[in-house]
Amino acid sequence: MESLDRRRAGSEQEEGFGVQSRRPTDLGMVPNLRRSNSSLCKSRRFLCSFSSEKQENLSSWIPENIKKKECVYFVESSKLSDAGKVVCACGYTHEQHLEVAIKPHTFQGKEWDPKKHVQEMPTDAFGDIVFTDLSQKVGKYVRVSQDTPSSVIYQLMTQHWGLDVPNLLISVTGGAKNFNMKLRLKSIFRRGLVKVAQTTGAWIITGGSHTGVMKQVGEAVRDFSLSSSCKEGEVITIGVATWGTIHNREGLIHPMGGFPAEYMLDEEGQGNLTCLDSNHSHFILVDDGTHGQYGVEIPLRTKLEKFISEQTKERGGVAIKIPIVCVVLEGGPGTLHTIYNAINNGTPCVIVEGSGRVADVIAQVATLPVSEITISLIQQKLSIFFQEMFETFTENQIVEWTKKIQDIVRRRQLLTIFREGKDGQQDVDVAILQALLKASRSQDHFGHENWDHQLKLAVAWNRVDIARSEIFTDEWQWKPADLHPMMTAALISNKPEFVRLFLENGVRLKEFVTWDTLLCLYENLEPSCLFHSKLQKVLAEEQRLAYASATPRLHMHHVAQVLRELLGDSTQLLYPRPRYTDRPRLSMTVPHIKLNVQGVSLRSLYKRSTGHVTFTIDPVRDLLIWAVIQNHRELAGIIWAQSQDCTAAALACSKILKELSKEEEDTDSSEEMLALADEFEHRAIGVFTECYRKDEERAQKLLVRVSEAWGKTTCLQLALEAKDMKFVSHGGIQAFLTKVWWGQLCVDNGLWRIILCMLAFPLLFTGFISFREKRLQALCRPARVRAFFNAPVVIFHMNILSYFAFLCLFAYVLMVDFQPSPSWCEYLIYLWLFSLVCEETRQLFYDPDGCGLMKMASLYFSDFWNKLDVGAILLFVVGLTCRLIPATLYPGRIILSLDFIMFCLRLMHIFTISKTLGPKIIIVKRMMKDVFFFLFLLAVWVVSFGVAKQAILIHNESRVDWIFRGVVYHSYLTIFGQIPTYIDGVNFSMDQCSPNGTDPYKPKCPESDWTGQAPAFPEWLTVTLLCLYLLFANILLLNLLIAMFNYTFQEVQEHTDQIWKFQRHDLIEEYHGRPPAPPPLILLSHLQLLIKRIVLKIPAKRHKQLKNKLEKNEETALLSWELYLKENYLQNQQYQQKQRPEQKIQDISEKVDTMVDLLDMDQVKRSGSTEQRLASLEEQVTQVTRALHWIVTTLKDSGFGSGAAPQRAFDEPDAELSIRRKVEEPGDGYHVSARHLLYPNARIMRFPVPNEKVPWEAEFLIYDPPFYTAEKDVALTDPVGDTAEPLSKISYNVVDGPTDRRSFHGVYVVEYGFPLNPMGRTGLRGRGSLSWFGPNHTLQPVVTRWKRNQGGAICRKSVRKMLEVLVMKLPRSEHWALPGGSREPGEMLPRKLKRVLRQEFWVAFETLLVQGTEVYKGYVDDPRNTDNAWIETVAVSIHFQDQNDMELKRLEENLHTHDPKELTRDLKLSTEWQVVDRRIPLYANHKTILQKVASLFGAHF
């Protein structure tokens, strides 16, 4: 193992990587580590400066929890500083030490010891960092001790720096010295690295310095920041550097925090130090109290990356452990060590070929079999890629390189080589994510949790392209129910592309949306969502009414209350209040669905219990509403495409969005809601257009069909509630309204025919009027008369004639026949008005939808014309009251005269039905608003000029009426040309005015001289004021009013037709439900209605022509027809989208870019085509050779051929199982686990032994393995020592007392008193942690039974039967194991087996072992093996054929999970029956035995 100083060799700094320690380390727990991104405020991003309060909190928290290291004793070093000064052994000068460190009595002459001479103190360097003379980007930094717990640093990053918990950790390692990369490869690397970080929400961790690979990463982030918008998010780049090697670090020291601290990047003056990279966002500066020592940060970075990778990230209802990947560019010996440790700890690595040195060496041999990676080959590669430093490599180093590279290549599933233009690879980001998925795919899991884990990663990264290409393949068939948990996660985290992917792969929304799923979705609404705040108000109100202390639990009827507010009271509650609110629910954790990628998946939460059914009538509707209320545009579009009642759904969504936009305070969100509402309206128009083109009658049925899913309302009602004018103005809807307007009459009847028949109804029996229904075509039928007079168009015109008659009679009475006592004409007016009052009352109480009186009153008074009617009636009542009192007869007549004006204004509403006058009335109404606001401007000038004029001309006018005339009335008339008298003194006359203002009919005289004959006021001033007033008021303001009218006309004119068509419906609906008789004859109809409602109790019903409830079969057929046409609409939309010029230009641009890339790649491929062809040919020859060797071996084993193949002395029939072979590594026939460089549970490194040096026969002159023998508490063990004397009493190859030292592989060699491992060298002498020198015998019972379903039948997979095996596991172990192991001398049962079996069953189990079948006997490739001690095992199969076997039942009864004696040691064992599968997470040697058992029974494996 290299020292830290050697990693500095060659003037380069090698970066460390998060190597996971084999020993469990208590890193502590951080509160609130599991947080979703939604819980972090956007304002906590690192670009935002801290407020003063946050700075104070940080200034107090960091010194309390984070320390630095200082040398407190100066011990002079023999070396001098670069400036020639005397320095301490720590590297700092006298001046850089504390005062206490340079006192003369301190440890002079003693060796400097960092454990004694370095102490921790509160850190003095933290805060914000700004790089001077560079970008104004603000980063974060902190100086930490190398012993700082990773949990504290993680808490600082997530809670105080405000970083979102990452979905991925990318550790970039490689050469710290500047190196050259091809421009194209550099561009690809930069683009891919930033893309994967930005799209997945990853953290990038580097060494943080402005050199080598760290500089490449920083420049990639810089390029991204310059080319992207702020909405795309920031790339989090964390630099972990050594504090003592940073140049200009003095500027970062601020004991109370630097906010900001300025840092100067000075590459020219840095010398042997390094500068921080200005493009990193966060810096963790690791301090060990020394100066100039590189590699200090590696252990802390290792622990930090390990700690982060163990944290769980929760978002969108899914929890995953944060995955980690190592990306390697270039690099030297330190980088190789980093890769080796990462691979051994299961961390996937991506090697960028072409970057140089170590990366290229590994890339060159990665495709070779391990047996072909020899010392000479590695030496050859080193001479090519390490030309400058090749001469410095020793033989030991080359052997170590060979061993490490062999181990790296052996685990190909964790190794990904990125080759530019090779195997279709174009982007580094895809290679990184594929490496993670490939590593996940190679892990062992029970069942198909492995696939679940990969899908969770893809969803967390939001990379649907990776999911499509790597996960949803033919290799695994996904069941729709298995995708439900991830569907929930994709919905909550708003990932529409994944929702579309899941729908394409079989997820059915009607099966997915259940009561619990829907509640979970609503409980996970974004807190910033307006609907969420409205729900909270409903819950708070319910809490207040119930006088409850706790907020009530959310139920769907709460959601229904808010939805009814948004949809309008014309709809009923979508989710009725349940009878029993405490109904049982599924055990779904809220607000987050807990998913442990190594435990039980969420799939179990979605298993439908018996009787569990979807509670809503339309689950797609429920999901659509949930997406719409959050303004998720893409998500809502995808779900709407799945809906059946699509027209009503689109109109309802439009209504909801428009209502939410009115209350939304954020302007951008409000505009987005309105845009989405308009989009849904266009979808409704598009679908209805398709339907109308296909069949007009069925399309019109869709308009008035009662939709049970949307609160028993209709499409037409929803459109009117949402004020979707474009939809209502559609030609098909207007044709329907026209059809309703004409009733049962044909539309082509002329209006003059209608009027003639109204005046002379006998014409109805002559065929003068045509009807739509054939039964009405017959002459002389009373039904013709009823159909004619019930038509809304006839009722309307009869009411017009009646109203004109009323106005004429009213005018006649006011002008001609207004007597002190009412005449018969006036009494007729009273009767007429009473009939109008009755009609208005009927309209007020007409409630066919059951909305309630308050809602009907609100709807009634929301109409302007109804307000005008009520006002006119009330004013008539006041005038009538005054008229009947003789003393107020004249005031009564005045009031009635004014009331006549209001009745006349009512005619405007009648004329709105006219296609000519209707739009003009709308324009007039809009212009009235302009006039209203214009009067405010005009009043300023009128009052200002009037007051000034009155004050100048008249002195102390006390009459209020004359003041009003002078100030307002005269000033207003001046605008229209009536110039005020005396204003210029020309027409001054005392006869026309009153000098003292005593004459009530004359104005007061203006200011005059003492004679009273000449004006005394300044005429020049009043004339000037008049001219200015006329200029601004008459010219400017009046022209402004004209311009406003013109603008309003132009603006409204474009939409007038839509507005008129929209308002036309109200008039048609009014007369459609109005009694046929006109006032005052309408009183007879009212009497009939009174009898129906009061006496007969017959409720009001809306006419079927406007609201029709269809039969179930008819409705189903209609909706299916609509669904079919909706698909046509969506296809047409896609086609039109492709035909758009912008889309065509984009497609052409993409094709051109693809062609350019292909041309570039063609040049690269052509240059290396010869090498590739030769390599391919060599690989094919190798494969042929292997195949021939296998054929020959098989034939010889079958008895063919005369000669026997030469075998090793220790070969036995089962020898092939004694080696941990890989299918992809034929020929790698040596023990592998026994040669791992790091010996388990000990700080000892093996001597590296490459494959070719494993056999004892192979010459290996430099082989010098260390000696290690662990002291064990067990009494019966061999003695400790590295000499043969303590071992002289041991007898090998025989039964030595209670210990059997015979090998299953025959006689083994004993050399210098030590036995030699029959499988070859391991790199370590001694017995290690084993108990005996020589073979250590173990027993592995393999207890199996057939896997059966609930019916008792044996389960099968791929025709083969499926086995279940009894396995056990220690709590802190990641793997399961067979219940066997070492045995006490003279005992038959292994120790571990005794711990899981009750003692009374031991004898019975021994009997089972005797009766069992031996499936393997031989050497075990175990990491504890050494050159002188190794494990050999006997595997015995115990199979229970029958599920009712008594011995099986006794076994299960006598199993327990732990031994009470072991409680204090925390060694509880758990046992389970697990399905036998190649993915079962067993130790490798146990899995090999299990495969043998499966072959014995012909079972699935």
Side-chain angles (χ1 to χ4, degrees), residues 536-831:
Q536 295 305 311
K537 290 179 182 178
V538 171
L539 293 174
E541 180 66 17
E542 182 172 308
Q543 179 185 3
R544 185 184 64 84
L545 295 176
Y547 299 101
S549 58
T551 305
R553 191 172 188 176
L554 178 67
H555 290 280
M556 291 310 299
H557 66 267
H558 298 130
V559 177
Q561 292 179 39
V562 182
L563 287 176
R564 190 170 189 185
E565 293 178 14
L566 299 175
L567 286 171
D569 288 334
S570 62
T571 61
Q572 297 184 5
L573 288 174
L574 300 187
Y575 311 110
R577 182 183 295 269
R579 295 180 181 177
Y580 305 100
T581 54
D582 295 330
R583 62 179 293 275
R585 298 181 57 207
L586 290 177
S587 57
M588 183 177 295
T589 305
V590 176
H592 292 294
I593 305 166
K594 297 292 292 178
L595 286 180
N596 188 344
V597 297
Q598 295 180 352
V600 181
S601 78
L602 184 63
R603 189 186 312 105
S604 60
L605 298 178
Y606 278 84
K607 290 181 180 178
R608 304 291 191 269
S609 60
T610 57
H612 184 86
V613 295
T614 302
F615 78 104
T616 59
I617 58 176
D618 191 350
V620 182
R621 170 208 64 181
D622 303 326
L623 209 55
L624 177 61
I625 293 174
W626 179 84
V628 165
I629 60 175
Q630 296 186 94
N631 199 23
H632 290 166
R633 178 176 171 273
E634 281 190 71
L635 206 55
I638 293 171
I639 299 170
W640 178 83
Q642 303 293 318
S643 62
Q644 189 174 24
D645 196 357
C646 49
T647 306
L651 294 171
C653 291
S654 176
K655 168 66 174 172
I656 292 172
L657 288 164
K658 287 181 178 179
E659 291 298 322
L660 287 175
S661 67
K662 295 176 184 177
E663 302 180 41
E664 180 62 58
E665 296 178 357
D666 185 10
T667 307
D668 292 338
S669 297
S670 178
E671 291 178 355
E672 290 175 1
M673 287 178 178
L674 290 175
L676 184 55
D678 189 60
E679 188 175 329
F680 271 110
E681 183 181 359
H682 278 91
R683 286 174 179 163
I685 294 172
V687 175
F688 183 77
T689 302
E690 291 287 333
C691 296
Y692 190 72
R693 288 174 181 170
K694 196 75 175 177
D695 190 330
E696 295 183 11
E697 185 177 351
R698 297 182 79 179
Q700 290 174 358
K701 276 187 181 181
L702 281 173
L703 287 177
V704 295
R705 178 191 65 86
V706 173
S707 176
E708 296 288 340
W710 292 100
K712 296 185 178 180
T713 186
T714 65
C715 291
L716 190 57
Q717 277 183 302
L718 285 171
L720 294 168
E721 287 278 352
K723 295 184 179 179
D724 289 334
M725 296 186 182
K726 295 178 184 176
F727 181 81
V728 177
S729 62
H730 187 277
I733 299 173
Q734 289 301 308
F736 169 74
L737 292 177
T738 302
K739 181 180 176 181
V740 174
W741 179 243
W742 283 89
Q744 298 185 35
L745 303 178
C746 288
V747 179
D748 55 359
N749 285 311
L751 189 58
W752 61 275
R753 293 174 181 267
I754 300 297
I755 296 174
L756 279 178
C757 289
M758 286 167 50
L759 299 175
F761 71 88
L763 292 174
L764 293 173
F765 303 106
T766 63
F768 189 69
I769 294 293
S770 56
F771 295 85
R772 287 205 305 269
E773 297 185 16
K774 294 182 178 180
R775 65 182 184 83
L776 296 176
Q777 294 296 340
L779 303 179
C780 300
R781 296 193 59 180
R784 291 171 63 91
V785 179
R786 187 166 57 251
F788 177 79
F789 285 103
N790 279 326
V793 64
V794 176
I795 297 173
F796 172 74
H797 285 94
M798 290 181 67
N799 276 270
I800 286 180
L801 295 177
S802 171
Y803 198 72
F804 273 113
F806 167 73
L807 290 178
C808 291
L809 186 61
F810 196 3
Y812 171 78
V813 170
L814 287 174
M815 294 185 298
V816 178
D817 194 18
F818 198 84
Q819 304 298 332
S821 59
S823 63
W824 69 270
C825 292
E826 195 168 345
Y827 280 119
L828 182 58
I829 290 176
Y830 299 160
L831 180 63

Side-chain angles (χ1 to χ4, degrees), residues 701 705-706 1104 1108-1119:
K701 276 187 181 181
R705 178 191 65 86
V706 173
K1104 284 187 176 182
N1108 187 19
K1109 183 173 178 58
L1110 302 178
E1111 294 293 333
K1112 191 66 177 178
N1113 293 338
E1114 185 181 3
E1115 183 179 26
T1116 303
L1118 189 64
L1119 290 179

Side-chain angles (χ1 to χ4, degrees), residues 218 242 451 859 1017 1028 1074 1194 1214 1374:
T242 302
W451 290 97
L859 290 174
F1017 58 85
L1028 291 175
R1074 192 164 184 152
T1194 304
D1214 289 330
E1374 295 183 358

Side-chain angles (χ1 to χ4, degrees), residues 197-330:
Q198 197 265 334
T199 56
T200 64
W203 289 357
I204 301 176
I205 296 184
T206 73
S209 59
H210 190 64
T211 182
V213 67
M214 296 82 78
K215 184 177 181 180
Q216 297 285 347
V217 174
E219 290 176 351
V221 174
R222 179 200 62 194
D223 296 343
F224 168 78
S225 302
L226 294 175
S227 62
S228 64
S229 62
C230 59
K231 290 184 179 180
E232 294 187 54
E234 304 84 9
V235 175
I236 306 302
T237 316
I238 302 169
V240 183
T242 302
W243 169 263
T245 62
I246 300 172
H247 182 54
N248 289 335
R249 60 182 179 274
E250 297 80 10
L252 301 178
I253 298 177
H254 294 275
M256 297 306 295
F259 300 100
E262 294 187 357
Y263 181 80
M264 175 69 73
L265 197 156
D266 179 20
E267 291 186 271
E268 295 181 358
Q270 68 183 12
N272 291 328
L273 303 179
T274 59
C275 293
L276 295 178
D277 185 69
S278 60
N279 298 306
H280 283 61
S281 59
H282 299 77
F283 295 94
I284 298 172
L285 309 177
V286 185
D287 185 15
D288 69 340
T290 65
H291 168 80
Q293 296 294 327
Y294 284 89
V296 172
E297 84 284 356
I298 293 178
L300 183 136
R301 177 177 170 183
T302 296
K303 296 176 183 177
L304 179 62
E305 291 175 345
K306 176 180 181 294
F307 181 84
I308 295 174
S309 67
E310 291 173 346
Q311 303 309 305
T312 301
K313 169 67 179 289
E314 291 183 5
R315 187 180 182 188
V318 61
I320 62 168
K321 280 194 174 181
I322 301 171
I324 182 172
V325 64
C326 176
V327 179
V328 181
L329 272 81
E330 212 241 8

